[in-house]
Amino acid sequence: MSNNLEKMDSNLRQYFSSQKLLPILTVDEKEVCEDLANLLCESGLNTFEVTLRTQVSLEVISKMSSLGNFVVGAGTLISPSDVSSAIKAGAKFGVSPGITPELLDECEKHSFPLIPGVSTASEIMNAYLRGFKILKLFPADVLGGAKMLKALAGPFPECEFFPTGGINQSNANEYLNLTNVIGVAGSWMAPRELIKERDWSKIRKIVKMSDWKI
Ligand code: 3PG
């Protein structure tokens, strides 16, 4: 493993050593940044992912990062230019729905910690052989959920997963109990529509319902 990859891996481990739930935020208005970030922080969630899916995503990453108390990652990284934009905005780590050699190269070049998305054993092999051992299993629920993760533990004992896609407060525990799951990620903690409506009390309620696994 290159020095860059070792550093990337150890940074990710540090971010997720005490937080097992990773909220995925899709934010349409940058004015909500402070309220939303503070609300999540109240429940011990100071690390989160902001998807690059709206016009203001990069500004949101930048604003949330500047607030100081948070570790903000960039999600939905697809092209190498997404990686450079995320780094420029202040993201501390990235998450991608899948893998391409170009994406992995760009992250390694900048020592930018990436949780690459995988959905098959072959993709896991590609990522693992490049030195990426913390992987996003996406879309986890559709792929076979906890059953699939148990099956993957055999051939890939060194890989740890962030199952994502179709996870919520009622099934998160099933995943978190597995030895090869480092944490679970999802939009259920702060759904896009509730952020749009600035319904902080509903989001607070959901986050509190998920408290048991933070
Ligand atoms: C992602 O960005 O990884 C997924 O959209 C999250 O899936 P979820 O909305 O089912 O949590």
Side-chain angles (χ1 to χ4, degrees):
M1 223 206 255
S2 73
N3 284 345
N4 281 8
L5 280 161
E6 267 175 37
K7 192 170 154 225
M8 290 153 71
D9 187 82
S10 99
N11 283 349
L12 284 176
R13 285 180 197 285
Q14 186 198 327
Y15 300 149
F16 297 105
S17 60
S18 58
Q19 185 179 316
K20 304 294 168 210
L21 294 183
L22 176 64
I24 299 178
L25 312 175
T26 297
V27 182
D28 292 272
E29 294 170 313
K30 56 182 189 295
E31 289 71 26
V32 304
C33 287
E34 203 159 345
D35 285 343
L36 178 59
N38 286 333
L39 183 163
L40 294 169
C41 192
E42 273 172 27
S43 289
L45 295 168
N46 68 345
T47 301
F48 30 78
E49 169 189 334
V50 176
T51 65
L52 297 192
R53 292 184 203 169
T54 70
Q55 298 286 334
V56 296
S57 301
L58 290 168
E59 283 177 85
V60 169
I61 291 173
S62 177
K63 198 157 178 205
M64 284 180 162
S65 302
S66 73
L67 295 173
N69 303 324
F70 310 105
V71 178
V72 186
T76 328
L77 298 182
I78 292 173
S79 68
S81 67
D82 290 338
V83 174
S84 30
S85 306
I87 295 172
K88 221 164 130 196
K92 290 282 182 300
F93 67 96
V95 185
S96 64
I99 51 169
T100 65
E102 293 78 13
L103 189 78
L104 301 186
D105 286 346
E106 189 71 7
C107 289
E108 189 176 352
K109 188 169 104 190
H110 296 284
S111 292
F112 182 61
L114 174 74
I115 307 175
V118 292
S119 61
T120 65
S122 301
E123 289 171 358
I124 295 170
M125 284 162 66
N126 281 327
Y128 173 69
L129 292 173
R130 283 285 310 258
F132 291 81
K133 295 183 192 160
I134 299 176
L135 309 167
K136 161 175 169 160
L137 183 73
F138 177 76
D141 200 40
V142 175
L143 289 169
K147 248 178 149 177
M148 177 160 180
L149 284 153
K150 274 184 205 161
L152 292 170
F156 304 111
E158 281 193 46
C159 292
E160 289 179 90
F161 296 90
F162 256 105
T164 310
I167 319 267
N168 52 51
Q169 62 266 50
S170 52
N171 64 6
N173 206 14
E174 227 180 279
Y175 290 95
L176 288 163
N177 284 336
L178 301 174
T179 51
N180 58 347
V181 167
I182 185 163
V184 297
S187 62
W188 90 88
M189 287 165 267
R192 182 173 184 172
E193 286 313 307
L194 292 186
I195 298 175
K196 252 191 195 166
E197 290 161 19
R198 303 187 191 200
D199 196 337
W200 308 136
S201 67
K202 243 189 209 153
I203 295 177
R204 188 171 281 118
K205 217 165 148 191
I206 301 173
V207 172
K208 283 203 179 310
M209 277 166 79
S210 308
D211 258 359
W212 36 271
K213 278 301 165 198
I214 293 170

